[in-house]
Amino acid sequence: LGIICLTYISYLIDFDKNKIKSIFLNLNYLLIIISVLIYLLSHSVRVLRLIILNPNSNYSMIGLWKEQYKANGINLLLPFKLGESYRLIYFKSFFGSYYNSFTILLCERLMDLLTIFLILTLCIIFSTANIPNLNYILFGSFILLIIVILIYFSIEEITTLVHKIFIQKKTNSINVFIVNLTSDLLRSIKTIKSILKQKYSSCFVLSLLIWGLEIAAFFIFYDALNGQLDLIIFLALAVSLSSLLPNGPMGYGGIQLAFYSVGAAVNNFDLVNYSIIYSLFIFGSGLFFAGMLFLYDFFRINKND
C-alpha cells in the first residue's frame, strides 16, 4: 500500500525547481525558527498528556520526554508507519506493559482525531473559502474517528469474549497464552479507561493546545496563502490527517498530497512546492532533535561503561 501510495503521488505531483529556488531565496528565517520551536513545543505538551494518561507512577518524566521526541524522530525516519513499533516497545518501561502502551496509543489517537474533527467542522462552517475537497477530508476524518471510537469502546467486550471462550477450553500452551494475553489486555484497558474518564477534560484541553500549536507552526505559509487563516488551518489539518497514510521517510507522499490538494482547490498550484519547506525545516527539526538525543544517550552509556 505504501509503495502504491508513493507511486501515485510521485506521478501526480510535479515540482517546479525554479519556484523552489525562489522560495528559498525569499525565506523568512526568523518565522521558520519560531515555527520550529512551536512544533517542538507541541510534542512537550504531548508528554504532559501522556503523564496524565499513564497508570504507572514509577518512571522518569525526563526519560519519557526524551523518548517522546526520539519516537517522533523514528516515525519521521522509517517509512510506512513502521516507527509506531518503536513507540510500543520502548514506552513499555514508562507505562508498565505493552498492553498499557497500546491502549494509551489508542486513547491518544482518539483524542487527536476528535480534536481535528471538531476544529475542521468549525472551520468549514465559518470559512468563506469554497474548497470542495474539504468535504472529502471531513468525511474521511469522520470515518476514521468512528473506527477509532468503535475500537475503543468495543475492544473491552471483544477481549472479554475471547477470554471467556479460551478459558473454558482444554488447557494447552496456546490456550494459556491467549488467556494470559487477554487478561493482561483487559486489565490495561480498564485502567486506562478509568483514568481517561476521570481526567478527560484535562486531556481534551491539552489536545486543543497541541493542535493549536501544530496549526500555529503553519504560519510560515502566511504569505503563500495570502494571509487567509482558514486556509492555514485547512492545510495544517490536511497535513496532520495525511500522516495516517503509509508515507515514506519525512512524511514524503502524504505531505505533498495535502499541499497539492489545498493548492488545487484554491487554484494555487505552486503551493505544492512549499511542502519541501515543511518537510525540511519542521520535520527536519524533529528528526535532528531526535538524533541529538540518541547521540547523547549513546555517549552517556559508553561513558558509564
Side-chain angles (χ1 to χ4, degrees), residues 53-219:
L53 289 171
N54 194 357
N56 183 16
S57 59
N58 185 25
Y59 65 95
S60 166
M61 291 186 184
I62 296 296
L64 179 60
W65 180 84
K66 286 165 59 178
E67 285 301 325
Q68 169 65 25
Y69 282 95
K70 287 162 70 176
N72 179 55
I74 292 293
N75 262 330
L76 292 173
L77 183 63
L78 296 182
F80 312 141
K81 307 301 292 179
L82 295 175
E84 293 291 356
S85 58
Y86 174 90
R87 192 181 187 283
L88 290 174
I89 294 169
Y90 282 89
F91 276 45
K92 176 192 173 185
S93 59
F94 302 103
F95 300 149
S97 69
Y98 294 121
Y99 311 105
N100 284 349
S101 187
F102 167 75
T103 312
I104 289 174
L105 176 63
L106 183 59
C107 287
E108 279 192 297
R109 293 296 178 267
L110 173 61
M111 286 183 289
D112 283 339
L113 283 172
L114 177 60
T115 307
I116 289 171
F117 181 75
L118 289 175
I119 295 174
L120 187 58
T121 302
L122 289 172
C123 285
I124 289 176
I125 292 172
F126 293 104
S127 174
T128 56
N130 182 20
I131 306 178
N133 286 350
L134 286 178
N135 294 325
Y136 298 108
I137 295 175
L138 181 65
F139 180 73
S141 64
F142 178 72
I143 294 299
L144 288 170
L145 179 62
I146 292 299
I147 291 172
V148 174
I149 289 175
L150 287 175
I151 293 173
Y152 179 79
F153 285 103
S154 65
I155 191 170
E156 184 176 350
E157 286 71 22
I158 293 172
T159 307
T160 301
L161 178 62
V162 174
H163 182 77
K164 289 179 179 179
I165 290 173
F166 280 89
I167 205 170
Q168 296 171 0
K169 288 181 175 291
K170 185 178 178 180
T171 302
N172 58 49
S173 59
I174 295 176
N175 291 345
V176 169
F177 170 77
I178 293 176
V179 167
N180 290 334
L181 186 149
T182 52
S183 177
D184 290 337
L185 184 57
L186 275 172
R187 193 180 305 113
S188 298
I189 293 169
K190 289 178 180 178
T191 302
I192 301 300
K193 279 190 174 182
S194 175
I195 294 171
L196 186 59
K197 186 177 181 180
Q198 296 171 5
K199 300 182 178 180
Y200 181 79
S201 58
S202 300
C203 290
F204 183 65
V205 169
L206 287 175
S207 297
L208 286 174
L209 179 57
I210 288 167
W211 286 104
L213 291 169
E214 293 272 0
I215 291 169
F218 278 80
F219 273 82

Side-chain angles (χ1 to χ4, degrees), residues 220-270:
I220 54 175
F221 306 114
Y222 183 86
D223 291 335
L225 293 171
N226 299 320
Q228 292 183 255
L229 179 61
D230 51 354
L231 292 183
I232 293 172
I233 295 174
F234 292 144
L235 179 60
L237 297 182
V239 169
S240 65
L241 289 172
S242 74
S243 66
L244 298 172
L245 296 173
N247 298 318
M250 301 287 284
Y252 179 77
I255 290 178
Q256 283 67 39
L257 183 61
F259 275 78
Y260 175 83
S261 298
V262 174
V266 295
N267 293 318
N268 181 5
F269 293 97
D270 286 334

